């Protein structure tokens, strides 16, 4: 008791509690009580819950086995399905005593355990630690999963629909009518309505998030557009300046060269005139 309280707090605990009392998940069928084995724990890694050797079970786990034994007065317990967690509860590996959890829960209650034959190791664990009577069974036959009954008929109609869509489209309304009538007959229309409504609600819930994302994207796009627009104006403003400066430079350069050419021509003309004058004076 102290071990369970230290791990899970005072009873009734937090799991399987209704109106401050422990609730057991099960149904009574005459002299048979069919129940789900409670989880060995909660709020941690499932693998750790299943196989940690020193983890005590919560209050509702202990309550189910004690209730079956002391209140409901069961003659025996049958564990169906490989494998449960009773045989993995804290205590000794062999030769269990009243201080070990499996013996505390079962006492002398017979435990019958149909167990799959391809896992003898874990079957032996239950036999050794929970004094269970193992009833081996073969692995179930395997086959390809397929439709059956009216679902198989619906699959056939859908196949026919796609075939006549290509070969004889005029028959499509007739097949559509047969498909819809069969859907209503097996109540698939209710399932479809539920799925569509669920998707619609989910769409509305996520709609605000999409709107916010779109708004952010739009704002970001506007920001980039403004940025690009600013750069475009800057480029357009700079281009005429550069063109104007370049034109001025070329004009100045040409003007300079023009002056240089005029000066050179004048010097050549003066020089040539001086030469001719000298020449004429010499002849005189």
């Amino acid at each position: 008791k102290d071990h369970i309280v230290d791990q899970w707090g005072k009873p009734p605990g937090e799991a399987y509690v209704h109106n401050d009392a422990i609730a057991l998940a099960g149904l009574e069928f005459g002299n048979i009580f069919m129940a789900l084995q409670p989880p060995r724990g909660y709020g941690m890694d499932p693998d750790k819950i299943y196989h940690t050797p020193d983890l005590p079970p919560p209050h509702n786990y202990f309550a189910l086995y004690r209730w079956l034994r002391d209140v409901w007065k069961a003659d025996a317990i049958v564990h169906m399905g490989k494998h449960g967690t009773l045989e993995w509860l804290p205590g000794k590996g062999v030769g269990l005593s009243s201080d070990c959890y499996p013996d505390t829960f079962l006492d002398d209650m017979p435990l019958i355990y149909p167990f799959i034959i391809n896992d003898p190791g874990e079957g032996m664990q239950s036999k050794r630690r929970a004094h269970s009577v193992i009833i081996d069974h073969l692995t179930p036959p395997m086959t390809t999963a397929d439709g059956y009954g009216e679902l198989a008929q619906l699959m056939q109609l859908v196949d026919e629909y796609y075939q006549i869509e290509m070969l004889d489209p005029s028959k499509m309304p007739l097949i559509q009518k047969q498909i819809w009538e069969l859907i209503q007959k097996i109540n698939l229309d209710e399932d479809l309505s539920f799925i569509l409504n669920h998707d619609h609600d989910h769409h509305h819930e996520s709609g605000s998030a999409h709107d916010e994302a779109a708004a952010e994207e739009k704002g970001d796009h506007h920001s980039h557009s403004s940025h690009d627009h600013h750069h475009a104006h800057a480029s357009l403003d700079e281009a005429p300046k550069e063109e104007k400066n370049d034109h001025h430079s070329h004009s100045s350069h040409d003007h300079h060269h023009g002056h240089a050419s005029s000066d050179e021509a004048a010097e050549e003309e003066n020089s040539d005139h001086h030469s001719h004058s000298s020449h004429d004076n010499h002849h005189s």
Side-chain angles (χ1 to χ4, degrees), residues 83-109:
H83 60 79
T85 54
L86 179 68
E87 59 267 29
W88 303 94
L89 296 180
K92 293 186 288 183
V94 293
L96 276 66
S97 66
S98 58
D99 293 331
C100 304
Y101 280 80
D103 263 24
T104 301
F105 289 6
L106 289 173
D107 198 18
D108 59 353
M109 175 77 67

Side-chain angles (χ1 to χ4, degrees), residues 121-177:
E122 292 185 327
M124 288 300 298
Q125 174 81 353
S126 178
K127 188 173 183 178
R128 184 173 62 243
R129 300 197 72 241
H131 60 254
S132 62
V133 177
I134 298 294
I135 302 176
D136 292 321
H137 65 84
L138 294 174
T139 55
M142 305 295 288
T143 185
T144 303
D146 205 349
Y148 54 90
E150 289 161 329
L151 288 175
Q153 184 182 350
L154 180 61
M155 291 170 61
Q156 183 179 353
L157 285 172
V158 172
D159 289 339
E160 290 180 12
Y161 178 84
Y162 284 113
Q163 289 176 7
I164 66 170
E165 185 179 18
M166 299 177 60
L167 302 175
D168 191 1
S170 63
K171 295 181 180 178
M172 288 175 61
L174 176 62
I175 300 296
Q176 287 176 346
K177 183 174 181 295

Side-chain angles (χ1 to χ4, degrees), residues 93-260:
V94 293
L96 276 66
S97 66
S98 58
D99 293 331
C100 304
Y101 280 80
D103 263 24
T104 301
F105 289 6
L106 289 173
D107 198 18
D108 59 353
M109 175 77 67
L111 177 61
I112 302 164
Y113 213 149
F115 214 91
I116 194 166
I117 199 170
N118 67 351
D119 192 0
E122 292 185 327
M124 288 300 298
Q125 174 81 353
S126 178
K127 188 173 183 178
R128 184 173 62 243
R129 300 197 72 241
H131 60 254
S132 62
V133 177
I134 298 294
I135 302 176
D136 292 321
H137 65 84
L138 294 174
T139 55
M142 305 295 288
T143 185
T144 303
D146 205 349
Y148 54 90
E150 289 161 329
L151 288 175
Q153 184 182 350
L154 180 61
M155 291 170 61
Q156 183 179 353
L157 285 172
V158 172
D159 289 339
E160 290 180 12
Y161 178 84
Y162 284 113
Q163 289 176 7
I164 66 170
E165 185 179 18
M166 299 177 60
L167 302 175
D168 191 1
S170 63
K171 295 181 180 178
M172 288 175 61
L174 176 62
I175 300 296
Q176 287 176 346
K177 183 174 181 295
Q178 293 176 352
I179 290 174
W180 180 242
E181 288 175 351
L182 185 56
I183 285 174
Q184 290 179 312
K185 181 180 178 182
I186 57 180
N187 298 321
L188 277 181
D189 55 326
E190 297 179 5
D191 295 339
L192 292 172
S193 177
F194 174 79
I195 293 171
L196 291 173
N197 289 334
H198 177 74
D199 291 344
H200 182 70
D201 294 340
H202 178 71
H203 176 73
H204 276 291
E205 289 174 3
S206 59
S208 56
H210 287 303
D211 293 341
E212 290 175 6
E216 290 179 4
E217 184 179 355
K218 185 177 180 181
D220 188 56
H221 176 71
H222 181 71
S223 176
H224 280 293
S225 299
S226 302
H227 184 69
D228 295 340
H229 186 66
H230 175 73
H231 277 292
H233 277 296
S235 301
L236 290 173
D237 291 341
E238 290 169 4
K241 290 180 182 179
E242 291 178 0
E243 187 178 351
K244 185 176 180 181
N245 290 339
D246 188 56
H247 178 72
H248 181 72
S249 298
H250 280 292
S251 300
S252 302
H253 183 71
D254 294 341
H255 184 69
H256 175 72
H257 278 288
H259 279 294

Side-chain angles (χ1 to χ4, degrees), residues 43-77:
M44 61 181 73
D45 179 38
D47 291 335
K48 182 180 179 181
I49 290 172
Y50 223 81
H51 290 109
T52 300
D54 59 349
L55 178 67
H59 298 288
N60 60 304
Y61 194 111
F62 172 75
L64 174 63
Y65 283 93
R66 290 300 297 267
W67 180 83
L68 287 172
R69 188 186 76 186
D70 299 338
V71 179
W72 203 75
K73 302 292 184 182
D75 298 313
I77 294 176

